[in-house]
Amino acid sequence: MSYLRENIERMEGYSPGFQPKGEGWVKLNTNENPFPPSPKVIEALRQAVDGRIRLYPDPLADKVRERVGRLYGVDKECVIVGNGCDDVLAIAARAFLGEGHVLLMTRPTYTLYRVLGQIQRAKVLEIPLNEDFTLPEALFSQKAQLTFISNPNPPSGVLYNKRDMERLCVETGGVVVIDEAYADFADRNCLDLVRKYDNVLITRSLSKHMALAGLRVGFGIASDDVIRGMMKVRDSYNVNCLSQVGAAAALDDSGYYLQKVREIRRERGILTEELQRLGWKVLPSQANFVFAFPAKLHASEMYEELFRRRILVRYFDTPETRDGLRITIGSPEENRRLLEAVGAITGGR
Ligand SMILES: Cc1ncc(COP(=O)(O)O)c(C=O)c1O
């Protein structure tokens, strides 16, 4: 006999990318940043490790909220901080999605959205993207209490146009979460929609462009009403004290990260061109990864061959994604090793 709620028994749960033990891997499977965080973050963390961890952290993470407010030109009352962007997404699901409500999302996208909908016993409506991974017209005729849309969207890296995002905000009739975990690598973002519409929540992550995946910090920006509601349903101390210190220091050093983002964008261009030269099809990405269709081998075989050479990329075995691989943009050296391995694998074929 199972003691689980029926919907929890039935659902699959989120399956994160493989985290290898041991050294020697080229790890291009979970969209981490290949560069270290700002030295100022490391120093601030060192200074913060002492007896003060006896105390609970600031429940509101106000130092982080103030910095986000300053950086993005919004009032701190319009900011919520989470234990990663994932936490902010979960808080949104808890606050806006009840049993029998509709959760609208695309397929493919970040698979956590489905899990969050299933936990709430919502009706999860997954609208297939067009073949080129752009938004389908069918998406805009749906009504939903909550919409999760990632922009740029994984695993394609495709950035949707602003007009379409605005249409979603106007037409779905509920809260629209524009998950901008990767927006810092893109040419534009939707932050201005928060000022225009009171049903929009923008979520961001410090895991990707600020190289702090291990600290687990993300935040959301929305109208003060939306944020006030979300504050009621988060864990009271959802961001630990060291994470708050590290996040504040990172947000204070945005110049350092701008430079690193520039390097990652440059590497994205180089990797795209080099894979294309080897005969791969690569989707136009605005994120810190590319989705690419291998030449000569099926994507699943290429994944295995790369794995044997201790190069990790991500393979999603679903009808929409099983012909491609999602490859995180690594350091110049890591990207070179990937390209060399691809050349060696396909050279004799
Ligand atoms: C679209 C999207 N949103 C959110 C996240 C999670 O971000 P965080 O590490 O801040 O929880 C990811 C992580 O892969 C993601 O792909």
Side-chain angles (χ1 to χ4, degrees), residues 295-338:
K296 299 188 183 174
L297 250 70
H298 187 260
S300 57
E301 289 174 86
M302 179 59 78
Y303 171 86
E304 294 296 338
E305 288 290 337
L306 289 170
F307 189 92
R308 284 200 313 118
R309 291 164 171 80
R310 292 175 88 77
I311 296 177
L312 271 179
V313 297
R314 193 88 193 257
Y315 178 66
F316 298 97
D317 191 4
T318 73
E320 299 84 15
T321 53
R322 63 169 60 114
D323 293 333
L325 297 174
R326 194 195 68 190
I327 305 172
T328 303
I329 310 300
S331 65
E333 165 66 11
E334 288 172 321
N335 299 335
R336 190 185 57 72
R337 281 184 59 189
L338 169 79

Side-chain angles (χ1 to χ4, degrees), residues 1-19:
M1 167 184 152
S2 170
Y3 293 99
L4 291 170
R5 288 155 62 202
E6 191 206 346
N7 57 315
I8 307 296
E9 179 68 74
R10 263 189 289 118
M11 64 182 252
E12 256 182 38
Y14 179 71
S15 95
F18 178 60
Q19 298 290 350

